Amino acid sequence: MTTTTEPPATTTAQSLTLTDLVKTYTARGRESFAAVKGINLDIAPGELVALLGPSGCGKTTTLRMIAGLETVTSGSIKIGDREVSQLPAAKRGIGVGFESYALYPPLSVRDNLLYGLKARKVKGAEQMVGSISARLEMDDLLELRPAGLSSGQKQRVALARALVRNPPVLLLDEPLSHLDAAARQRVRRELKILQREFGYTTIVVTHDQVEALSLADRLAVMDAGVVQQFGTPDEVFDDPANLFVAQFVGEPAINVVRGVVRTSGGTTRVEIGSRAGHLETTATDVPDGTEVTVGVRPQDCVLSTDAAGAGGISVTVAYFEHLLEFGLATTTVAGMEEGIVVQTPAQDSFEPEQQVVVTAPPERVYLFDTDTGQRLR
Ligand SMILES: Nc1ncnc2c1ncn2[C@@H]1O[C@H](COP(=O)(O)OP(=O)(O)OP(=O)(O)O)[C@@H](O)[C@H]1O
Ligand SMILES: [Mg+2]
């Protein structure tokens, strides 16, 4: 008998590749509806990818297709070199943590977790269940029956059940959404550590940016059935592919204002508002006079009390909030409906009606096509 809680040696991390994956729902008497419109994702063995996007954008549909719980309209799903899109769910070797409440009622939590492991005669099953339960802070739940569990407890049991199966590919749909804030943070950390140790190739769906940013090696930001950008958290935050991604990722939200491009002597600037001023940008391929949408993050803006000489936008402070680690100044710009929000250092303070100047590093001033939202570089 073995006493180890090491993953079975049979499991090695596998890549997961989605190619042109499409799901169109058709219902009699209804127009067909494209929930997933051609997704391409190349996920490395052992990588943790967070799928982030607004409600209804196709996240769950994508996971259900990978798991084999939903048919694929077209496209390919590969685990390693193996095409699995036409295989039944049980043959795919995927662990699924989103049938949150599909536990067997007559069995204790412990037996629910052991179920399947015993059938497969997995060595060290008891130890594995014990160790994972302890790490997810649920060893006090092991002797209970599912009916008596709160939704947060059920969710941890579902997560544990997916983890003990030690699948090469793990899919988790909002695995922590019912936990309270403190438990959520601790379980999130434990999940990340377990994922690293065991090397599951993992996709986690979440609504929560902080969760996505803290867990993920890479983020896939989705909207309307399409992956808008796939990159590391830094790439997505620092170099958004389009206006949707820029606005979806980041807290407080990115400032979005209209501007007109002015090029002269090798520099590009965007004029903001009526004579309020301008910001310099590193974008080079946008012709003089183009009307654009400008994005600049509150964290990248700097407020100063100097007059707008060399650059910057003259603004008026409308509202100033002291938040523990920083301040937030909400400002108005002459001739514009949109204001600009600036995150300021904790020690700074501004008064309503104060006239100040906003500047930002040129590489952090993003331009977007006003019609399509695509980034202009
Ligand atoms: N069985 C179905 N028949 C028809 N339409 C469906 C079906 N399942 C999902 N949809 C539609 O497909 C779209 C994507 O749904 P999905 O559940 O994948 O979204 P989601 O990104 O997971 O959203 P949420 O964040 O709210 O969970 C939605 O518009 C939804 O109404
Ligand atoms: Mg969903």
Side-chain angles (χ1 to χ4, degrees), residues 84-347:
V84 301
S85 60
Q86 305 305 320
L87 292 182
K91 296 227 164 123
R92 296 191 187 188
I94 290 179
V96 176
F98 53 95
E99 320 139 282
S100 323
Y101 307 136
L103 298 168
Y104 304 106
L107 300 184
S108 67
V109 166
R110 182 192 301 279
D111 289 334
N112 263 288
L113 295 179
L114 285 170
Y115 193 92
L117 293 183
K118 282 192 168 163
R120 282 175 18 229
K121 298 196 165 57
V122 172
K123 284 186 187 161
E126 300 271 357
Q127 289 84 348
M128 177 106 130
V129 165
S131 135
I132 286 184
S133 303
R135 293 174 65 171
L136 298 182
E137 301 180 15
M138 46 167 278
D139 32 13
D140 55 332
L141 307 179
L142 287 174
E143 306 317 324
L144 303 179
R145 305 219 179 260
L149 301 178
S150 74
S151 52
Q153 291 168 336
K154 280 183 190 164
Q155 203 163 31
R156 260 173 292 169
V157 175
L159 180 59
R161 201 179 57 161
L163 291 171
V164 296
R165 290 179 179 185
N166 195 28
V169 174
L170 179 65
L171 306 175
L172 302 172
D173 197 347
E174 311 217 24
L176 312 176
S177 58
H178 295 307
L179 304 187
D180 65 64
R184 196 171 173 149
Q185 229 179 49
R186 294 193 305 266
V187 175
R188 181 173 83 203
R189 195 171 50 221
E190 231 22 81
L191 172 61
K192 176 86 182 180
I193 296 169
L194 282 164
Q195 192 269 342
R196 280 276 174 278
E197 276 175 29
F198 284 58
Y200 326 103
T201 304
T202 307
I203 303 184
V204 180
V205 166
T206 172
H207 271 114
D208 181 339
Q209 289 201 28
V210 176
E211 196 163 292
L213 293 169
S214 65
L215 276 175
D217 299 310
R218 284 193 289 174
L219 298 179
V221 184
M222 267 184 91
D223 185 38
V226 175
V227 172
Q228 304 288 329
Q229 187 166 2
F230 185 37
T232 64
D234 284 346
E235 282 165 0
V236 169
F237 187 81
D238 294 337
D239 198 11
N242 57 42
L243 186 58
F244 175 82
V245 173
Q247 290 188 290
F248 196 78
V249 180
E251 175 64 38
I254 194 167
N255 294 296
V256 175
V257 296
R258 282 160 299 125
V260 179
V261 170
R262 299 292 174 212
T263 56
S264 66
T267 60
T268 306
R269 308 181 310 188
V270 271
E271 278 176 10
I272 311 280
S274 55
R275 299 205 191 135
H278 65 260
L279 292 174
E280 203 175 305
T281 168
T282 46
T284 51
D285 283 349
V286 193
D288 190 59
T290 310
E291 291 188 13
V292 292
T293 299
V294 183
V296 56
R297 295 198 182 280
Q299 298 88 340
D300 294 330
C301 291
V302 177
L303 268 196
S304 65
T305 48
D306 304 341
I313 311 165
S314 300
V315 300
T316 307
V317 175
Y319 187 61
F320 183 74
E321 297 161 272
H322 269 298
L323 306 168
L324 289 173
E325 287 143 30
F326 54 85
L328 271 189
T330 303
T331 69
T332 57
V333 185
M336 279 200 349
E337 263 176 49
E338 310 94 329
I340 294 178
V341 174
V342 180
Q343 185 170 315
T344 62
Q347 68 275 13

